[in-house]
Amino acid sequence: MNKIKPFLLIMVLAVLVVGCSKEKKDEAAKLQKELMGDSTQVMDSLAEVQRVTDSIATEQAEVDKLMLWQKQAEEALYKMPKKPAGDGYTVQVAGCENRDYAEHLVDIYTKRGYQPYVTTITVEGQEYYRVRVGIFASLSDAKALQAELNDKYSIDSWIDVTVK
């Protein structure tokens, strides 16, 4: 019986160790499963963050493209002659919706020896380009240019008052 007691004790200990180790394995498996579930949520969250980041990058690219177009349009408009300094009277030879046509008219009047310039105005959302010539201190000087343009080129022009 003395020999059986240590054997039984060893068996009981072995059963306890195996039992505890099975519980620990089950607990470890449960923890692993929970962690895998959390990592799936983390992966889903990372995928969502990536999708939002990609969307923002796409929108930023569109904004950058629009800003470049705006800058190019402003630079192109900047190349057209601006209103000379001073206030007074000016002769407007055209008002047009098309910037290219306004540039064409500027070239024509420049070749004819005049100093045309362009101003813009927006009416009900539509931008108009006004091609004008001269700034005159007196109305009679502006009328003289208007008559000259009408006689030489048969254009319908009008006189406008300019102010800064």
Side-chain angles (χ1 to χ4, degrees), residues 55-116:
S55 174
I56 290 170
T58 301
E59 289 177 17
Q60 185 62 47
E62 288 297 315
V63 168
D64 291 346
K65 189 186 302 183
L66 290 172
M67 290 180 73
L68 178 62
W69 288 344
Q70 180 182 4
K71 182 180 177 186
Q72 289 171 341
E74 287 171 356
E75 287 173 354
L77 185 60
Y78 180 76
K79 291 177 184 176
M80 285 202 264
K82 298 289 184 192
K83 176 183 178 258
D87 294 333
Y89 300 93
T90 187
V91 178
Q92 184 164 322
V93 294
C96 44
E97 297 174 6
N98 186 303
R99 192 182 114 256
D100 292 336
Y101 185 65
E103 288 177 358
H104 174 70
L105 291 174
V106 165
D107 288 342
I108 289 173
Y109 284 99
T110 300
K111 288 175 185 171
R112 290 176 178 174
Y114 299 100
Q115 293 180 334

Side-chain angles (χ1 to χ4, degrees), residues 10-71:
I10 291 173
M11 289 301 283
V12 169
L13 286 173
V15 168
L16 284 174
V17 168
V18 169
C20 287
S21 110
K22 184 175 184 205
E23 285 178 20
K24 295 226 180 223
K25 283 182 183 176
D26 290 345
E27 190 177 323
K30 184 179 173 185
L31 282 172
Q32 185 177 11
K33 194 174 188 179
E34 286 178 15
L35 288 174
M36 291 302 284
D38 287 347
S39 70
T40 302
Q41 289 175 348
V42 168
M43 295 301 280
D44 290 346
S45 296
L46 287 174
E48 178 66 14
V49 167
Q50 185 62 48
R51 188 189 65 73
V52 170
T53 302
D54 291 346
S55 174
I56 290 170
T58 301
E59 289 177 17
Q60 185 62 47
E62 288 297 315
V63 168
D64 291 346
K65 189 186 302 183
L66 290 172
M67 290 180 73
L68 178 62
W69 288 344
Q70 180 182 4
K71 182 180 177 186

